[in-house]
Amino acid sequence: MKQESLSIAAGLGGERQGLSLPIVSKTQMDLLGEAERLAIAAQQQVDQATAAGAMKLKAAVESAQRSVEDTQQQLSTAVEAAISDWQSEIVSFGTAGMVTANALKDLPRTAQALAEEMPKLARRLQTAGTRLGDAPRTEADIMGLFDKIPGTSKLGVSEWDIRVFLSNKHGSHIYPHSKGGSNSAQNTVWEVGTDNIRRGARTMTAGEQQYVRFYNAVDSVLKNSATIAKLGITATGTAVLTQALVTTLAYTLDLHRGEITQAEFKGKISEAAISAGIATPIFFVIFVAVMALFPEVVVVLSAPAVVAGFNALFGIGIALPIIQSLVRHIEADGFGGEFKAQYEAAILRGEAVVQNSL
């Protein structure tokens, strides 16, 4: 194809200095135009793809945010339910423990106190399993034998109930007295008299000792069943009433703010009462079983510090849901903006102290 050239004149004084540039053909112009159109189309496609990608990314982020919010809401609901169950169990456990510990707190703790408060029982512990001419038991051995009586026979601190349990029991020697076995508490167990006589001068086996422990546990519960049932009913009634009152106080402000309905308010009270009515007897039965099978535990349960601990636990079970109710009311601006601001400032200061201490 013949190519025409374009001469461009440039110079001074009419002189012509030839600078030749190639003349663009029509075909080349068409190709350039098509390339330009393709570039524009490609750019548009890129822009559209970028916009679509951005929209998808935005949708993904929003979906993730919703998922996080849903997860947080689910977590919050689960935590709230767990705390509610925990509070119910605190009240139930604290009530059962408090009633049990209070029923044991006045037990005599020394042989002298035992002789003054339960004289007939003290004489029985002094002589059980001994023979004429034997040295008298030490005060430690007397209290050791007292500690071997199941705690379920000591509930209510009644000398009569303890003597009823011992009415058919001998102070049996694990290692026979006739073979040099001592009268110490470590070598003596409370055993049904006929079983002790039947064994004679034979050493008590480990299996027989376990049988004595289980038999005494069951026998103690049966003989003191009236007192145990009375305490169980008292504990359950106290827990149910406490949970109902605490739940009422805890959700009154929520009802006032309109965050729960009257029906939901009544439902929460009913659920709390039912929960306490189920959990408390279970905890109480556990306490009874432990006291019956492991008489030594009574020494711990009757300790003043343990009694105070159960009372404190019971108090925590009451205070915690009420505190949470007040916090919810503050966060909902129920006491006014100024009070909420002070609360949030206090929380921030507390968090700063914690961070600085790490």
Side-chain angles (χ1 to χ4, degrees), residues 77-145:
T77 301
V79 169
E80 184 178 354
I83 291 176
S84 178
D85 292 341
W86 181 56
Q87 290 166 352
S88 177
E89 291 188 2
I90 285 178
V91 171
S92 298
F93 180 77
T95 306
M98 181 179 64
V99 169
T100 303
N102 283 332
L104 298 169
K105 68 178 182 179
D106 295 326
L107 286 172
R109 300 182 180 280
T110 64
Q112 181 178 353
L114 182 66
E116 293 173 354
E117 299 171 22
M118 303 178 178
K120 292 182 180 180
L121 177 62
R123 286 195 294 271
R124 176 70 192 283
L125 299 179
Q126 175 69 52
T127 60
T130 63
R131 296 181 180 181
L132 290 175
D134 288 347
R137 279 199 172 97
T138 64
E139 292 188 355
D141 282 329
I142 290 173
M143 293 309 296
L145 287 178

Side-chain angles (χ1 to χ4, degrees), residues 1-269:
M1 178 183 292
K2 183 179 179 181
Q3 183 178 3
E4 297 178 355
S5 61
L6 176 65
S7 178
I8 301 176
L12 298 175
E15 294 183 358
R16 299 172 60 93
Q17 183 176 1
L19 294 176
S20 298
L21 292 176
I23 298 176
V24 180
S25 69
K26 183 175 182 303
T27 302
Q28 290 174 328
M29 290 290 293
D30 292 341
L31 289 174
L32 288 173
E34 184 64 22
E36 183 178 1
R37 284 193 298 272
L38 290 175
I40 293 172
Q43 184 62 48
Q44 289 175 342
Q45 290 179 353
V46 170
D47 292 342
Q48 291 173 356
T50 302
M55 292 298 293
K56 290 180 180 179
L57 179 60
K58 179 182 178 182
V61 170
E62 290 175 348
S63 177
Q65 288 175 338
R66 286 194 297 271
S67 298
V68 170
E69 290 173 357
D70 292 342
T71 301
Q72 289 176 339
Q73 181 61 39
Q74 292 172 1
L75 180 61
S76 176
T77 301
V79 169
E80 184 178 354
I83 291 176
S84 178
D85 292 341
W86 181 56
Q87 290 166 352
S88 177
E89 291 188 2
I90 285 178
V91 171
S92 298
F93 180 77
T95 306
M98 181 179 64
V99 169
T100 303
N102 283 332
L104 298 169
K105 68 178 182 179
D106 295 326
L107 286 172
R109 300 182 180 280
T110 64
Q112 181 178 353
L114 182 66
E116 293 173 354
E117 299 171 22
M118 303 178 178
K120 292 182 180 180
L121 177 62
R123 286 195 294 271
R124 176 70 192 283
L125 299 179
Q126 175 69 52
T127 60
T130 63
R131 296 181 180 181
L132 290 175
D134 288 347
R137 279 199 172 97
T138 64
E139 292 188 355
D141 282 329
I142 290 173
M143 293 309 296
L145 287 178
F146 180 70
D147 292 340
K148 287 192 172 185
I149 299 171
T152 41
S153 289
K154 299 173 182 175
L155 290 170
V157 195
S158 167
E159 182 180 18
W160 173 259
D161 290 339
I162 299 174
R163 289 177 60 203
V164 167
F165 168 76
L166 294 177
S167 59
N168 64 338
K169 307 293 191 304
H170 284 182
S172 294
H173 295 87
I174 298 173
Y175 189 76
H177 189 281
S178 60
K179 295 181 180 179
S182 70
N183 291 321
S184 67
Q186 288 78 11
N187 193 49
T188 307
V189 295
W190 297 110
E191 184 183 24
V192 174
T194 54
D195 292 341
N196 180 39
I197 294 171
R198 188 182 300 115
R199 183 179 307 100
R202 185 169 51 83
T203 300
M204 187 181 295
T205 65
E208 288 173 327
Q209 293 178 52
Q210 290 298 321
Y211 171 78
V212 167
R213 179 185 288 272
F214 280 97
Y215 181 90
N216 285 348
V218 174
D219 190 43
S220 174
V221 170
L222 292 176
K223 287 181 177 177
N224 205 28
S225 58
T227 299
I228 293 172
K230 182 179 178 181
L231 289 173
I233 292 171
T234 299
T236 302
T238 300
V240 169
L241 180 59
T242 300
Q243 276 289 74
L245 291 174
V246 169
T247 304
T248 300
L249 293 173
Y251 287 97
T252 296
L253 292 175
D254 299 75
L255 178 64
H256 175 72
R257 293 194 306 273
E259 293 187 1
I260 59 174
T261 64
Q262 285 279 359
E264 291 172 331
F265 182 65
K266 293 177 181 178
K268 288 182 178 294
I269 296 172

